[in-house]
Amino acid sequence: MTDEAHANLDRLLQSGGVRLGRAQRDRLGWLVNQYGAPTFDDVSEGRRNGVVILKEPLSGAAAELFYRSLTPGCAVVIPRSENPGFDFLKSKLTEFGSVGPCGADGPHEMWWGGIGWSKFLAASDASSLQPRIVSCYPRGGDATAAFALRHSLERFDLACHIEAIETEFSDRVLCFEKAEFMMRMWNKFREPLLFVEAGAMLREAPLLPSYLGCDVALHKWNRWEMSARTLYLGRTKGAEMLLRSWQQLAASYPAIWEGYLLDQAWSLTSSQLPLDTVWLPRSYHALKGDLGAMRATILHDQQTTTLELGPDPAFASMVRAARRAGRTGARDAFMVMTSQAEAGNGISVILRDISASDAGAVAATVEAVTGAYAADCGGYGRLELSLCAWQDDVGAARDAAALARYRILEIAPGQRIANDFFAHHAADDAVMTARHLFP
């Protein structure tokens, strides 16, 4: 973008009261370069191009009219996409990616999508940045699957590393074994990494993730279940943090299936830094029997079924609605902020009733809470902010905070949050402690 285009974009965001962190602003600027000038959420009857920035949720007829006005030549950006009010429209669009909150400077999730992947898939063929393909299989097991993957790579002239590793079982690689392998590859190589499960075949060069320049890219089966069969990691701080979190979770909970552990690593990382995630199209995770298998970029050696991906369909029901909408969800901390306070204590702020409240009021309250913590943490070393639509979400958030022995505060959208909000409650805590010690 030219300096003038940057200035115009900044003025537009300021006029609409939209606050973005640097990583979110960079992604939006990239989209403007790809699609053209941005506009705010007018619902027009004509066909449109460019970037459309939505500040308020649309529902019913308005969402349908908006969807019909879009073309493959436009992108939709939702800078406050943590609000469930946007979920209906998102379900109608193709989800491209999301960027996590950026602390007090950009305290919202930013979602971006559009009408189909055709524009990016065509452009990615010219990408100059190529990933290193990595894969592993059990040492002493059948190497046929690994041979098939290596053979399919030959015509693309891509760097690769396919390795036999020590495993507990001769017929499969467990999650902690795969995560440890990926950590070794991260330390060994300097290129972006694209893990592809042994047995898969590459029909096209898998350049989409590196072309998009994201931290991490993966596919969500049924739009919510994260799969580790195709996993891209850029050479970024966010990618490394996600990988280390996944490795630690896998080592701690070896009996839990890898997709859910990857989901939790993603949620944890997204709450702590602006993780730039791309949700890969099905062509990067096609299975045998898919209607589009012949046009797939990566074809996995599995039949079209969900049984292999998630052994317990009810296991992660709590996260499904949020993951389909590309957000962290009420039962996970939406944002985690830390301070320089020496105290190891934390505080959990629960923002309730967000589905029944005005989207602007919810966004303003999020900004007020994070701004107050940045201005004066009150001595709390860690803030966890949870967004809850329903009372059972509030209960789950309270339970999680209680387990961590955090101070718990429950607030409502629109509630006044002063700059000394946290200092005030810290003072109350001190008074209560004194009364307990000296009744």
Side-chain angles (χ1 to χ4, degrees):
M1 293 177 68
T2 64
D3 291 342
E4 182 180 359
H6 275 291
N8 289 339
L9 179 55
D10 290 339
R11 282 193 292 269
L12 178 70
L13 295 175
Q14 186 175 11
S15 70
V18 174
R19 294 172 56 183
L20 298 178
R22 180 174 179 179
Q24 297 168 337
R25 175 63 174 72
D26 289 345
R27 174 56 70 187
L28 178 58
W30 185 88
L31 286 168
V32 170
N33 274 338
Q34 298 292 316
Y35 285 95
T39 59
F40 279 124
D41 41 11
D42 58 309
V43 180
S44 67
E45 296 181 0
R47 309 294 284 179
R48 70 169 89 230
N49 292 301
V51 178
V52 184
I53 303 173
L54 284 180
K55 295 186 296 178
E56 297 293 331
L58 301 175
S59 59
E64 184 64 31
L65 287 174
F66 178 79
Y67 173 74
R68 291 181 181 181
S69 74
L70 301 176
T71 73
C74 67
V76 177
V77 173
I78 304 177
R80 299 164 180 168
S81 67
E82 69 275 5
N83 194 311
F86 292 104
D87 289 3
F88 177 66
L89 177 62
K90 290 180 189 176
S91 70
K92 303 178 74 65
L93 298 170
T94 299
E95 181 181 44
F96 295 151
S98 59
V99 185
C102 309
D105 293 332
H108 303 286
E109 290 177 342
M110 190 184 87
W111 183 96
W112 52 293
I115 306 293
W117 282 98
S118 57
K119 179 182 177 69
F120 291 144
L121 290 172
S124 65
D125 291 340
S127 176
S128 58
L129 180 61
Q130 296 185 345
R132 176 176 289 270
I133 311 299
V134 296
S135 188
C136 60
Y137 62 97
R139 187 185 305 277
D142 187 356
T144 304
F147 176 79
L149 174 60
R150 189 186 301 275
H151 180 71
S152 72
L153 282 166
E154 291 176 353
R155 65 189 181 100
F156 299 115
D157 194 27
L158 293 171
C160 70
H161 181 91
I162 302 175
E163 180 181 324
I165 64 173
E166 297 294 339
T167 57
E168 287 192 15
F169 301 97
S170 62
D171 62 339
R172 61 187 181 276
V173 176
L174 298 178
C175 180
F176 76 91
E177 296 164 342
K178 180 186 290 189
E180 288 174 357
F181 166 77
M182 288 296 290
M183 198 72 249
R184 283 198 296 107
M185 296 301 99
W186 179 270
N187 293 327
K188 182 174 183 177
F189 300 111
R190 299 273 66 87
E191 310 102 312
L193 301 178
L194 178 63
F195 177 87
V196 179
E197 196 80 15
M201 295 180 61
L202 269 65
R203 296 185 177 274
E204 301 289 344
L207 302 179
L208 177 65
S210 54
Y211 168 74
L212 295 174
C214 55
D215 294 326
V216 59
L218 65 162
H219 177 73
K220 289 187 295 184
W221 185 265
N222 288 332
R223 297 190 70 165
W224 72 267
E225 184 178 347
M226 297 187 190
S227 171
R229 286 186 161 273
T230 302
L231 178 62
Y232 172 85
L233 299 172
R235 299 304 310 192
T236 65
K237 176 184 176 182
E240 182 176 11
M241 183 174 175
L242 179 136
L243 178 56
R244 291 190 183 279
S245 297
W246 188 39
Q247 182 188 25
Q248 291 166 5
L249 287 171
S252 300
Y253 305 98
I256 297 179
W257 50 282
E258 62 180 27
Y260 185 71
L261 293 176
L262 182 59
D263 176 289
Q264 292 302 286
W266 176 85
S267 177
L268 180 64
T269 307
S270 292
S271 69
Q272 298 185 54
L273 54 77
L275 189 69
D276 190 343
T277 305
V278 164
W279 304 111
L280 290 171
R282 183 59 177 269
S283 60
Y284 272 68
H285 197 288
L287 304 184
K288 289 182 177 179
D290 284 4
L291 292 176
M294 293 304 296
R295 299 186 301 275
T297 300
I298 300 174
L299 181 63
H300 289 282
D301 186 24
Q302 295 289 330
Q303 294 297 320
T304 303
T305 175
T306 59
L307 294 178
E308 191 276 340
L309 288 171
D312 182 357
F315 187 81
S317 59
M318 68 183 74
V319 304
R320 291 187 188 186
R323 295 302 183 268
R324 287 191 181 108
R327 53 186 176 83
T328 49
R331 296 175 188 266
D332 305 303
F334 160 66
M335 187 192 306
V336 176
M337 294 177 64
T338 57
S339 71
Q340 298 300 316
E342 295 182 3
N345 59 330
I347 185 167
S348 175
V349 176
I350 299 170
L351 181 57
R352 66 175 186 269
D353 301 330
I354 61 172
S355 287
S357 303
D358 176 75
V362 174
T365 306
V366 168
E367 293 171 10
V369 169
T370 54
Y373 185 78
D376 185 349
C377 69
Y380 294 107
R382 183 179 175 96
L383 162 68
E384 292 197 4
L385 176 60
S386 297
L387 308 185
C388 299
W390 315 109
Q391 194 57 42
D392 60 339
D393 293 333
V394 173
R398 279 187 166 275
D399 290 344
L403 285 173
R405 298 189 177 184
Y406 281 8
R407 170 76 154 92
I408 302 172
L409 297 177
E410 187 176 327
I411 62 174
Q415 181 173 326
R416 182 179 179 273
I417 306 295
N419 281 340
D420 64 348
F421 178 78
F422 292 96
H424 173 76
H425 286 286
D428 287 347
D429 290 346
V431 171
M432 293 297 292
T433 300
R435 288 175 178 173
H436 177 72
L437 293 176
F438 307 103

